[in-house]
Amino acid sequence: MTNKEIIENGNAVLGIEFGSTRIKAVLINDKFEPIANGSYTWENTLDNGIWTYPLSQIHEGLQTCYADLKADVNKRYGIKLTSFKAGGISAMMHGYLAFDKDGNILVPFRTWRNTITGQASKELSDLFGFPVPERWSISHLYQAILNKEEHISKLANVYTLAAYIHFMLTGKKVIGAGDASGMFPLKINGSKAEYNQDFINKFEQIDKIKTIPHSGSLIDELFPKVLMAGEDAGSLTKEGALFLDPTGELKDGIPFCPPEGDAGTGMAATNSVEEKTGNISAGTSVFSMVVLQKDLSKAYPGIIDIVTTPDGKPVAMVHANNCTGEHNYWINLFKEVGDLMGAKAGIGEYFDTLIMKSLEADKDCGGLLSYNYLSGETITGFNSGRPLFARAENANFTIANFMRTQMFSSLGALRAGMNILYDEEKVPVDSMTGAGGYFKTEAGLKYMAAAMKTSVSAMETAGEGGPWGMALLAAYSLDNSKESLADFLNTKVFGNCKKTTAAPEKDLIESFNIFFERYMKGLEIERAAVNTL
């Protein structure tokens, strides 16, 4: 069938992802190729010290993104989008969406970006002997309990963003294993996943938890049920269809797969769900995921998280809160200067030209230093951040050196965490695949290979990113062959996929190492900026 016929017959598959700066939707055909897309641009705000997105904007963003998808279908094929074969929702992992029994939100959505749960994170990590990051849902919940926040007495449900949207669409309080592993540590038993009961028992013995009224396990009462990739996660209800498409043109009854976090969809979109494979998602934030053969020798709280693939394999995750955000501001500034001077170039041309210019930089980046800390960076020990650029008086201050410094700075915290996996844990990595805005230029791919000390590939589908990965997981839920997720991706999706691979280049490795040494030594400058600015 043609793509038009696939959509008309309701056989396309939908993936939607709530990213940090854009909500994106994609339809794929039976060859897993993107055939239509939609988007909505947004940005988090700092509200009384909390990084958040208003609930009203979450709803508006979903509906506007879907409306944009419908418009794209109509423009490309001259038809209406009224149904699809299956769908899935993905979003930024972790965070805290708290509701009462009547569905009223109790506090503003606390996103992954917040670094306000340090006490809870440390106490839980010590209690479990397992790293519990500040951004995890359980850290936010326990910190609210420690702070004696008034809303705890009314609390009935806690969701991640993806699980919340899935609930609104299907009425099912469920969550995919990958996203769930960012709520509370999991225990995998064969083909089933559940929250770790040993850790739940320890949590329940905390005196402050005993004072909260609950009939069974507080975690099981508040958090969604965990599902593995491919399991039944419910279908679009009439109310859900109208919520997604207020025009009333969308049919109900469409199956939805378990909702996932952006880490899980990143693994699917880069075919990185097997042992010794890894992927890197680099955009507003940056994280690397390496599928482990065995458990790490010890916990590294605040540096390495242990999460899972959508089908339950253990994954070492190094997550840095900041990546391209700061150099985006600089390129926008350069465009503003260009506009004042009468230049006609679009913003994309500025990005491509300036970033590629960085390949001409001096090996030592001219002695320049920058920190991209728009928010705190746990890996390097910062609860809040201040974007910073510094140079010595005799530095070689050129645009090439400046841009390479910005690109390297985007990977500084990530490299600090990866050094532990490589140098201390000797974790083997056969391949790494990248996705996200950082990889839009050849220079980005080269720099990532140098920083990660291994070859890094970008697939031709990498630009589709999370929503495409979510659509793949939705398609997998329809697969009747009962093959593993890895086999499904290898044989049916990525068998003929083209990719570009950058091997680590000696000169760029040396260049990054010079910068990284300066970066680690200069952290006191960043600390002074946080304390005084």
Side-chain angles (χ1 to χ4, degrees):
M1 289 188 291
T2 65
N3 290 335
K4 178 180 178 179
E5 290 170 332
I6 288 172
I7 295 173
E8 279 186 311
N9 294 335
N11 286 324
V13 174
L14 173 69
I16 296 178
E17 180 158 284
F18 286 70
S20 302
T21 57
R22 291 176 69 204
I23 304 171
K24 295 179 285 187
V26 65
L27 283 178
I28 63 173
N29 59 20
D30 54 353
K31 297 178 181 177
F32 312 104
E33 300 166 334
I35 55 177
N37 55 67
S39 67
Y40 173 83
T41 300
W42 66 349
E43 185 59 72
N44 55 191
T45 56
L46 193 60
D47 180 8
N48 291 320
I50 302 293
W51 289 105
T52 188
Y53 299 86
L55 192 65
S56 60
Q57 192 179 20
I58 292 172
H59 295 176
E60 174 191 323
L62 174 67
Q63 293 167 353
T64 305
C65 177
Y66 185 78
D68 194 46
L69 174 69
K70 289 180 63 179
D72 189 50
V73 167
N74 185 259
K75 180 180 178 181
R76 292 192 193 202
Y77 308 107
I79 57 175
K80 286 186 176 181
L81 177 61
T82 60
S83 186
F84 41 90
K85 196 172 184 179
I89 299 295
S90 172
M92 301 166 277
M93 285 182 73
H94 323 121
Y96 184 74
L97 274 160
F99 293 86
D100 67 15
K101 60 181 178 58
D102 297 318
N104 300 307
I105 193 166
L106 295 171
V107 291
F109 171 34
R110 297 172 181 179
T111 76
W112 57 270
R113 173 166 265 179
N114 289 286
T115 51
I116 56 174
T117 63
Q119 180 185 359
S121 172
K122 185 179 186 310
E123 288 188 13
L124 293 175
S125 297
D126 292 343
L127 178 67
F128 299 156
F130 185 94
V132 179
E134 293 181 30
R135 62 186 176 277
W136 279 20
S137 305
I138 186 60
S139 293
H140 282 283
L141 171 62
Y142 186 46
Q143 190 67 55
I145 293 170
L146 292 175
N147 294 345
K148 299 180 180 180
E149 294 189 32
E150 187 271 337
H151 81 271
I152 291 298
S153 63
K154 305 174 185 176
L155 194 58
N157 292 294
V158 174
Y159 299 100
T160 63
L161 181 53
Y164 166 69
I165 295 296
H166 182 90
F167 174 76
M168 294 297 291
L169 297 179
T170 68
K172 298 292 185 180
K173 186 181 172 182
V174 297
I175 187 171
D179 202 15
S181 66
M183 294 195 81
F184 192 92
L186 297 187
K187 182 75 171 180
I188 307 299
N189 295 308
S191 61
K192 294 294 182 182
E194 60 185 5
Y195 301 115
N196 188 306
Q197 190 61 52
D198 292 338
F199 293 169
I200 289 177
N201 293 340
K202 291 181 178 181
F203 184 71
E204 296 284 342
Q205 292 305 309
I206 299 173
D207 289 341
K208 290 183 174 63
I209 303 304
K210 292 179 180 179
T211 64
I212 300 173
H214 56 287
S215 55
S217 159
L218 183 64
I219 298 303
D220 290 332
E221 286 182 18
L222 296 180
F223 287 7
K225 180 183 177 182
V226 186
L227 298 177
M228 294 279 232
E231 288 194 87
D232 179 18
S235 300
L236 190 65
T237 63
K238 290 182 179 180
E239 297 80 7
L242 196 60
F243 178 61
L244 181 58
D245 183 7
T247 68
E249 295 175 345
L250 178 61
K251 298 176 183 177
D252 63 299
I254 301 168
F256 268 63
C257 69
E260 265 299 344
D262 50 3
T265 57
M267 285 185 267
T270 56
N271 195 21
S272 305
V273 299
E274 291 185 280
E275 293 177 355
K276 297 195 291 183
T277 64
N279 77 291
I280 305 161
S281 177
T284 305
S285 64
V286 59
F287 55 80
S288 64
M289 317 280 292
V290 178
V291 185
L292 299 173
Q293 289 182 301
K294 61 180 182 179
D295 292 338
L296 300 183
S297 64
K298 62 180 182 179
Y300 298 92
I303 301 176
I304 298 173
D305 309 341
I306 302 300
V307 293
T308 76
T309 64
D311 58 343
K313 295 185 182 72
V315 175
M317 178 181 188
V318 179
H319 182 285
N321 288 341
N322 304 281
C323 186
T324 62
E326 174 63 359
H327 81 237
N328 290 352
Y329 278 107
W330 280 105
I331 291 176
N332 285 328
L333 178 66
F334 295 146
K335 183 181 185 302
E336 185 177 350
V337 173
D339 290 347
L340 286 172
M341 301 301 292
K344 303 298 183 183
I347 188 65
E349 189 173 349
Y350 276 90
F351 271 95
D352 293 345
T353 301
L354 292 172
I355 290 174
M356 289 302 291
K357 181 69 176 177
S358 68
L359 289 172
E360 302 173 17
D362 299 330
K363 182 177 286 190
D364 68 348
C365 298
L368 310 184
L369 176 63
S370 68
Y371 293 96
N372 61 334
Y373 293 5
L374 291 167
S375 63
E377 197 58 81
T378 306
I379 291 175
T380 49
F382 289 85
N383 290 326
S384 61
R386 301 293 184 273
L388 177 68
F389 172 72
R391 62 188 179 95
E393 69 277 8
N394 61 344
N396 188 17
F397 193 12
T398 66
I399 191 65
N401 284 334
F402 180 84
M403 286 308 304
R404 183 178 291 190
T405 297
Q406 293 295 326
M407 293 293 284
F408 279 177
S409 177
S410 297
L411 307 181
L414 178 68
R415 169 62 177 269
M418 289 299 294
N419 276 351
I420 292 175
L421 291 182
Y422 289 145
D423 300 338
E424 298 186 30
E425 292 290 339
K426 310 298 182 185
V427 171
V429 181
D430 287 345
S431 63
M432 297 199 80
T433 304
Y438 193 89
F439 298 99
K440 287 184 177 179
T441 65
E442 178 189 356
L445 194 60
K446 287 175 176 285
Y447 294 151
M448 188 66 77
M452 296 297 99
K453 300 188 286 188
T454 188
S455 293
V456 179
S457 300
M459 295 182 178
E460 61 179 3
T461 52
E464 304 299 334
W468 183 65
M470 192 66 243
L472 295 181
L473 291 174
Y476 175 66
S477 70
L478 297 172
D479 188 66
N480 294 318
S481 66
K482 305 303 181 183
E483 61 188 336
S484 69
L485 177 60
D487 287 343
F488 171 80
L489 294 174
N490 280 325
T491 61
K492 295 184 177 177
V493 180
F494 292 100
N496 298 309
C497 185
K498 297 178 181 178
K499 62 183 179 181
T500 302
T501 301
E505 299 176 13
K506 181 175 181 291
D507 285 350
L508 290 181
I509 291 174
E510 292 173 355
S511 180
F512 186 86
N513 288 343
I514 292 169
F515 172 82
F516 185 68
E517 183 178 0
R518 185 184 309 137
Y519 176 94
M520 296 302 290
K521 286 181 178 178
L523 287 171
E524 287 307 310
I525 306 173
E526 172 68 16
R527 202 170 307 282
V530 171
N531 292 335
T532 59
L533 184 60

